[in-house]
Amino acid sequence: MARYTGAVCRQCRREKLKLFLKGDRCYSDKCSFERRSYAPGQHGQARLRKVSDYALQLREKQKVRRIYGMLEGQFRRYFVEAERQRGVTGENLLRLLESRLDSVIYRLGFAGSRNQARHLLRHNHFLLNGHKVNIPSLQVKVGDVITVRDKSREIEVIKDSLAAMARRGVPSWLELNQEAFSGTVKTQPDRQELTMPIQEQLIVELYSK
């Protein structure tokens, strides 16, 4: 499947928001956004013009798409599914994105970023309910148990990510058993715990035109 392979720090700078795409580097002095918080490119520091409603909606969609690391076609399919479900479309969309297996692994602290979680998943380092799984987009359900495979528990990036969990914390809808290298989905993702400033209604307005 196609994926973005360019520099990820410029994505944070474009969205004028730290998206935490590079794990521990985002918390350090090496973070590019901290040093250059203006947009990338030769006109990045130019005076801003008045922004249209469409531009605001587009930027919000691009921001969320980049946070979860997906291209336009895949993101659009998530929106269609969210619109089909009962309830508020914007909240349904975020719930679907948070329920992806790669996102849950990141939230549990087994990886420093969603991109790293996808990489570890593709290399068969995790079990879902005791079964080997390597599909990042798989939707987890309440009661599912994600476990690091026995032979993978000595991998440094996993151990380092777990050690850094004190900085991020685990959402209340997940339960982490650090000693057993496992986590459980207790409830559906809680919209209130998404501390990233996301205005999902702007995405709904963009796609509803």
Side-chain angles (χ1 to χ4, degrees), residues 111-125:
S113 65
R114 289 181 177 85
N115 187 50
Q116 189 178 81
R118 281 190 289 275
H119 180 81
L120 292 170
L121 261 171
R122 287 298 189 188
H123 285 79
N124 301 303
H125 292 301

Side-chain angles (χ1 to χ4, degrees), residues 53-185:
D53 290 341
Y54 173 78
L56 289 173
Q57 295 163 359
L58 181 62
R59 284 265 60 87
E60 196 67 22
K61 184 262 293 183
Q62 293 291 77
K63 177 174 71 178
V64 175
R65 193 168 65 76
R66 285 166 172 169
I67 289 173
Y68 291 95
M70 57 187 65
L71 300 182
E72 177 63 28
Q74 187 181 17
F75 187 81
R76 183 63 180 258
R77 287 193 291 274
Y78 275 104
F79 178 82
V80 171
E81 175 63 20
E83 197 172 35
R84 189 184 64 81
Q85 294 179 352
R86 293 181 179 179
V88 181
T89 300
E91 293 184 7
N92 290 343
L93 175 62
L94 294 181
R95 191 174 295 116
L96 286 170
L97 295 173
E98 280 291 299
S99 296
R100 284 171 53 99
L101 182 56
D102 57 354
S103 187
V104 172
I105 286 173
Y106 164 69
R107 292 294 189 187
L108 285 169
F110 295 137
S113 65
R114 289 181 177 85
N115 187 50
Q116 189 178 81
R118 281 190 289 275
H119 180 81
L120 292 170
L121 261 171
R122 287 298 189 188
H123 285 79
N124 301 303
H125 292 301
F126 294 95
L127 302 174
L128 179 63
N129 299 327
H131 301 284
K132 185 171 67 174
V133 63
N134 61 1
I135 304 173
S137 61
L138 194 149
Q139 289 281 308
V140 301
K141 303 179 182 66
V142 175
D144 282 350
V145 179
I146 297 94
T147 311
V148 181
R149 297 180 69 184
D150 291 341
K151 68 178 185 179
S152 304
R153 297 182 182 183
E154 295 303 315
I155 295 177
E156 288 299 321
V157 293
I158 295 178
K159 293 167 67 175
D160 291 345
S161 296
L162 281 172
M165 274 311 295
R167 186 165 50 224
R168 294 206 321 255
V170 178
S172 63
W173 55 277
L174 296 173
E175 182 177 1
L176 172 65
N177 185 337
Q178 194 162 340
E179 293 183 359
F181 284 83
S182 70
T184 305
V185 182

